[in-house]
Amino acid sequence: DIPYGSRMYEEWKKWRARQVTETVVRVCGEVKRAHPNLEVSAAVFPTPTIAYNYVLQEWPSWNLDLYHPMVYHKFYERGVDWIGEAVRESASKGLPISAGILVDFMGSYDELKTGFELALRNGAHGITVFAFPLPRVELGEWIRKAFKELECRF
C-alpha cells in the first residue's frame, strides 16, 4: 500500500500521468505518420486541473489538433455558468478547444443556449454536442436553433 498524500504517492501519480501522456503522444505520432492530413482529437476531462486530479490526464501536453473537454456541469454539481469557467481554464492553455456539452443536462432552451454562449465567449473554438440518441425530442430543435442564432453572432 502507498499511503494517500505521501511523497511516494505523489511520485506514483506523476509516473502514472506520464504513462498516459506517453501513450497518447505515441499513438498520435503513429497516426500522423500514417495519415499526415488526419486530425487527432480527444474528449478529455473538463479542465486541466480536474483532469489531472481525477484521472491523471495531462492533456495540455498531448499536442493534439483539437480537444473536447467534457464540461458536464451537473456531473460536478455546478450551474450552467461553470461551463464558461471550465472553458476559460482550458482555453488559457492556448489550445484549440471545442467545448463538450452534454445536452441531456439542459433543462430549457435558454439554459442550452447560455451554455453554448458561455463556452464560445470564454475561448472555445466550437461546441461538441454529447448525446446520442437524443434522450428528449426537443433537444434536437434546441441545438439547431442555438447553432443558427450563434452563427449570426460569432
Side-chain angles (χ1 to χ4, degrees):
D1 286 346
I2 301 173
Y4 178 80
S6 68
R7 190 172 77 92
M8 182 180 274
Y9 179 79
E10 294 305 315
E11 288 176 15
W12 176 84
K13 275 178 55 176
K14 288 177 187 174
W15 175 85
R16 184 69 180 102
R18 195 169 49 253
Q19 303 310 302
V20 172
T21 295
E22 288 174 2
T23 299
V24 172
V25 169
R26 181 176 39 68
V27 168
C28 182
E30 290 174 11
V31 168
K32 291 290 193 172
R33 277 188 293 286
H35 304 281
N37 295 325
L38 193 66
E39 291 189 356
V40 179
S41 67
V44 295
F45 269 58
T47 69
T49 303
I50 291 173
Y52 185 78
N53 290 335
Y54 280 43
V55 293
L56 303 175
Q57 290 179 346
E58 292 182 299
W59 58 260
S61 66
W62 292 356
N63 197 30
L64 302 180
D65 297 302
L66 184 63
Y67 299 84
H68 308 271
M70 300 177 288
V71 287
Y72 301 171
H73 64 294
K74 289 188 180 177
F75 181 82
Y76 296 95
E77 299 179 350
R78 306 295 295 269
V80 73
D81 290 350
W82 182 76
I83 291 171
E85 295 169 28
V87 168
R88 187 178 319 113
E89 180 185 335
S90 297
S92 73
K93 302 298 181 186
L95 301 169
I97 300 296
S98 182
I101 297 179
L102 183 62
V103 295
D104 307 41
F105 283 160
M106 301 303 182
S108 69
Y109 170 73
D110 289 336
E111 185 179 19
L112 180 135
K113 184 179 175 195
T114 297
F116 286 9
E117 285 178 317
L118 288 168
L120 294 169
R121 205 177 297 142
N122 283 282
H125 295 195
I127 303 295
T128 302
V129 173
F130 286 106
F132 187 82
L134 292 173
R136 300 188 326 263
V137 175
E138 69 273 15
L139 287 173
E141 181 56 38
W142 292 356
I143 293 164
R144 282 187 290 281
K145 182 178 176 185
F147 280 161
K148 184 176 180 183
E149 289 180 21
L150 293 172
E151 279 182 357
C152 297
R153 296 179 50 203
F154 290 95

PDB file of all heavy atoms in Angstrom, residues 8-20:
ATOM      1  N   MET A   8       5.676   9.191  -1.773  1.00  0.00           N
ATOM      2  CA  MET A   8       5.664   8.063  -2.695  1.00  0.00           C
ATOM      3  C   MET A   8       4.391   8.077  -3.546  1.00  0.00           C
ATOM      4  O   MET A   8       4.431   7.803  -4.752  1.00  0.00           O
ATOM      5  CB  MET A   8       5.779   6.739  -1.952  1.00  0.00           C
ATOM      6  CG  MET A   8       5.830   5.538  -2.885  1.00  0.00           C
ATOM      7  SD  MET A   8       5.964   3.988  -1.987  1.00  0.00           S
ATOM      8  CE  MET A   8       7.732   3.913  -1.793  1.00  0.00           C
ATOM      9  N   TYR A   9       3.261   8.422  -2.951  1.00  0.00           N
ATOM     10  CA  TYR A   9       2.006   8.509  -3.684  1.00  0.00           C
ATOM     11  C   TYR A   9       2.100   9.579  -4.772  1.00  0.00           C
ATOM     12  O   TYR A   9       1.684   9.358  -5.914  1.00  0.00           O
ATOM     13  CB  TYR A   9       0.845   8.812  -2.733  1.00  0.00           C
ATOM     14  CG  TYR A   9      -0.483   8.950  -3.424  1.00  0.00           C
ATOM     15  CD1 TYR A   9      -1.200   7.824  -3.817  1.00  0.00           C
ATOM     16  CD2 TYR A   9      -1.011  10.205  -3.703  1.00  0.00           C
ATOM     17  CE1 TYR A   9      -2.418   7.946  -4.476  1.00  0.00           C
ATOM     18  CE2 TYR A   9      -2.227  10.328  -4.358  1.00  0.00           C
ATOM     19  CZ  TYR A   9      -2.919   9.199  -4.736  1.00  0.00           C
ATOM     20  OH  TYR A   9      -4.120   9.321  -5.385  1.00  0.00           O
ATOM     21  N   GLU A  10       2.635  10.737  -4.424  1.00  0.00           N
ATOM     22  CA  GLU A  10       2.782  11.821  -5.396  1.00  0.00           C
ATOM     23  C   GLU A  10       3.719  11.414  -6.533  1.00  0.00           C
ATOM     24  O   GLU A  10       3.475  11.742  -7.691  1.00  0.00           O
ATOM     25  CB  GLU A  10       3.261  13.108  -4.717  1.00  0.00           C
ATOM     26  CG  GLU A  10       2.250  13.705  -3.745  1.00  0.00           C
ATOM     27  CD  GLU A  10       0.880  13.950  -4.379  1.00  0.00           C
ATOM     28  OE1 GLU A  10       0.817  14.479  -5.511  1.00  0.00           O
ATOM     29  OE2 GLU A  10      -0.141  13.618  -3.739  1.00  0.00           O
ATOM     30  N   GLU A  11       4.768  10.688  -6.214  1.00  0.00           N
ATOM     31  CA  GLU A  11       5.683  10.191  -7.250  1.00  0.00           C
ATOM     32  C   GLU A  11       4.969   9.190  -8.156  1.00  0.00           C
ATOM     33  O   GLU A  11       5.157   9.205  -9.372  1.00  0.00           O
ATOM     34  CB  GLU A  11       6.918   9.549  -6.616  1.00  0.00           C
ATOM     35  CG  GLU A  11       7.859  10.551  -5.998  1.00  0.00           C
ATOM     36  CD  GLU A  11       9.032   9.903  -5.274  1.00  0.00           C
ATOM     37  OE1 GLU A  11       9.281   8.694  -5.481  1.00  0.00           O
ATOM     38  OE2 GLU A  11       9.682  10.617  -4.500  1.00  0.00           O
ATOM     39  N   TRP A  12       4.160   8.311  -7.549  1.00  0.00           N
ATOM     40  CA  TRP A  12       3.397   7.350  -8.348  1.00  0.00           C
ATOM     41  C   TRP A  12       2.433   8.078  -9.291  1.00  0.00           C
ATOM     42  O   TRP A  12       2.314   7.726 -10.464  1.00  0.00           O
ATOM     43  CB  TRP A  12       2.609   6.385  -7.448  1.00  0.00           C
ATOM     44  CG  TRP A  12       1.755   5.463  -8.272  1.00  0.00           C
ATOM     45  CD1 TRP A  12       2.133   4.297  -8.862  1.00  0.00           C
ATOM     46  CD2 TRP A  12       0.383   5.667  -8.641  1.00  0.00           C
ATOM     47  NE1 TRP A  12       1.078   3.759  -9.579  1.00  0.00           N
ATOM     48  CE2 TRP A  12      -0.007   4.586  -9.455  1.00  0.00           C
ATOM     49  CE3 TRP A  12      -0.552   6.659  -8.359  1.00  0.00           C
ATOM     50  CZ2 TRP A  12      -1.286   4.467  -9.976  1.00  0.00           C
ATOM     51  CZ3 TRP A  12      -1.824   6.545  -8.893  1.00  0.00           C
ATOM     52  CH2 TRP A  12      -2.176   5.448  -9.689  1.00  0.00           C
ATOM     53  N   LYS A  13       1.727   9.117  -8.778  1.00  0.00           N
ATOM     54  CA  LYS A  13       0.795   9.884  -9.613  1.00  0.00           C
ATOM     55  C   LYS A  13       1.520  10.489 -10.814  1.00  0.00           C
ATOM     56  O   LYS A  13       1.024  10.417 -11.935  1.00  0.00           O
ATOM     57  CB  LYS A  13       0.151  11.015  -8.797  1.00  0.00           C
ATOM     58  CG  LYS A  13      -1.064  10.603  -8.023  1.00  0.00           C
ATOM     59  CD  LYS A  13      -1.653  11.724  -7.202  1.00  0.00           C
ATOM     60  CE  LYS A  13      -1.980  12.958  -7.973  1.00  0.00           C
ATOM     61  NZ  LYS A  13      -2.632  14.012  -7.169  1.00  0.00           N
ATOM     62  N   LYS A  14       2.672  11.069 -10.579  1.00  0.00           N
ATOM     63  CA  LYS A  14       3.431  11.672 -11.687  1.00  0.00           C
ATOM     64  C   LYS A  14       3.853  10.604 -12.693  1.00  0.00           C
ATOM     65  O   LYS A  14       3.759  10.816 -13.905  1.00  0.00           O
ATOM     66  CB  LYS A  14       4.663  12.407 -11.150  1.00  0.00           C
ATOM     67  CG  LYS A  14       4.326  13.686 -10.429  1.00  0.00           C
ATOM     68  CD  LYS A  14       5.570  14.337  -9.865  1.00  0.00           C
ATOM     69  CE  LYS A  14       5.195  15.524  -9.011  1.00  0.00           C
ATOM     70  NZ  LYS A  14       6.355  16.102  -8.341  1.00  0.00           N
ATOM     71  N   TRP A  15       4.304   9.459 -12.186  1.00  0.00           N
ATOM     72  CA  TRP A  15       4.712   8.372 -13.069  1.00  0.00           C
ATOM     73  C   TRP A  15       3.519   7.909 -13.908  1.00  0.00           C
ATOM     74  O   TRP A  15       3.619   7.736 -15.117  1.00  0.00           O
ATOM     75  CB  TRP A  15       5.286   7.206 -12.256  1.00  0.00           C
ATOM     76  CG  TRP A  15       5.599   6.012 -13.107  1.00  0.00           C
ATOM     77  CD1 TRP A  15       6.735   5.782 -13.811  1.00  0.00           C
ATOM     78  CD2 TRP A  15       4.742   4.890 -13.341  1.00  0.00           C
ATOM     79  NE1 TRP A  15       6.639   4.583 -14.491  1.00  0.00           N
ATOM     80  CE2 TRP A  15       5.427   4.016 -14.215  1.00  0.00           C
ATOM     81  CE3 TRP A  15       3.460   4.538 -12.906  1.00  0.00           C
ATOM     82  CZ2 TRP A  15       4.867   2.819 -14.653  1.00  0.00           C
ATOM     83  CZ3 TRP A  15       2.912   3.350 -13.350  1.00  0.00           C
ATOM     84  CH2 TRP A  15       3.623   2.494 -14.210  1.00  0.00           C
ATOM     85  N   ARG A  16       2.381   7.712 -13.253  1.00  0.00           N
ATOM     86  CA  ARG A  16       1.181   7.212 -13.940  1.00  0.00           C
ATOM     87  C   ARG A  16       0.685   8.216 -14.974  1.00  0.00           C
ATOM     88  O   ARG A  16       0.315   7.847 -16.091  1.00  0.00           O
ATOM     89  CB  ARG A  16       0.069   6.918 -12.910  1.00  0.00           C
ATOM     90  CG  ARG A  16      -1.158   6.308 -13.514  1.00  0.00           C
ATOM     91  CD  ARG A  16      -0.868   4.884 -13.994  1.00  0.00           C
ATOM     92  NE  ARG A  16      -2.052   4.322 -14.558  1.00  0.00           N
ATOM     93  CZ  ARG A  16      -2.293   4.214 -15.871  1.00  0.00           C
ATOM     94  NH1 ARG A  16      -1.402   4.613 -16.733  1.00  0.00           N
ATOM     95  NH2 ARG A  16      -3.412   3.706 -16.303  1.00  0.00           N
ATOM     96  N   ALA A  17       0.684   9.491 -14.625  1.00  0.00           N
ATOM     97  CA  ALA A  17       0.278  10.525 -15.578  1.00  0.00           C
ATOM     98  C   ALA A  17       1.223  10.543 -16.776  1.00  0.00           C
ATOM     99  O   ALA A  17       0.788  10.701 -17.925  1.00  0.00           O
ATOM    100  CB  ALA A  17       0.256  11.895 -14.899  1.00  0.00           C
ATOM    101  N   ARG A  18       2.492  10.339 -16.531  1.00  0.00           N
ATOM    102  CA  ARG A  18       3.473  10.301 -17.623  1.00  0.00           C
ATOM    103  C   ARG A  18       3.192   9.120 -18.552  1.00  0.00           C
ATOM    104  O   ARG A  18       3.332   9.235 -19.765  1.00  0.00           O
ATOM    105  CB  ARG A  18       4.886  10.249 -17.043  1.00  0.00           C
ATOM    106  CG  ARG A  18       5.978  10.557 -18.028  1.00  0.00           C
ATOM    107  CD  ARG A  18       7.349  10.760 -17.392  1.00  0.00           C
ATOM    108  NE  ARG A  18       7.727   9.711 -16.461  1.00  0.00           N
ATOM    109  CZ  ARG A  18       7.764   9.836 -15.131  1.00  0.00           C
ATOM    110  NH1 ARG A  18       7.441  10.977 -14.562  1.00  0.00           N
ATOM    111  NH2 ARG A  18       8.117   8.828 -14.357  1.00  0.00           N
ATOM    112  N   GLN A  19       2.768   7.989 -17.987  1.00  0.00           N
ATOM    113  CA  GLN A  19       2.447   6.814 -18.808  1.00  0.00           C
ATOM    114  C   GLN A  19       1.276   7.113 -19.741  1.00  0.00           C
ATOM    115  O   GLN A  19       1.290   6.740 -20.921  1.00  0.00           O
ATOM    116  CB  GLN A  19       2.118   5.590 -17.936  1.00  0.00           C
ATOM    117  CG  GLN A  19       3.199   5.188 -16.961  1.00  0.00           C
ATOM    118  CD  GLN A  19       4.560   5.080 -17.623  1.00  0.00           C
ATOM    119  OE1 GLN A  19       4.740   4.331 -18.566  1.00  0.00           O
ATOM    120  NE2 GLN A  19       5.513   5.854 -17.131  1.00  0.00           N
ATOM    121  N   VAL A  20       0.255   7.782 -19.216  1.00  0.00           N
ATOM    122  CA  VAL A  20      -0.906   8.147 -20.034  1.00  0.00           C
ATOM    123  C   VAL A  20      -0.462   9.093 -21.152  1.00  0.00           C
ATOM    124  O   VAL A  20      -0.774   8.889 -22.326  1.00  0.00           O
ATOM    125  CB  VAL A  20      -2.014   8.797 -19.176  1.00  0.00           C
ATOM    126  CG1 VAL A  20      -3.134   9.341 -20.049  1.00  0.00           C
ATOM    127  CG2 VAL A  20      -2.563   7.805 -18.151  1.00  0.00           C
TER     128      VAL A  20
END
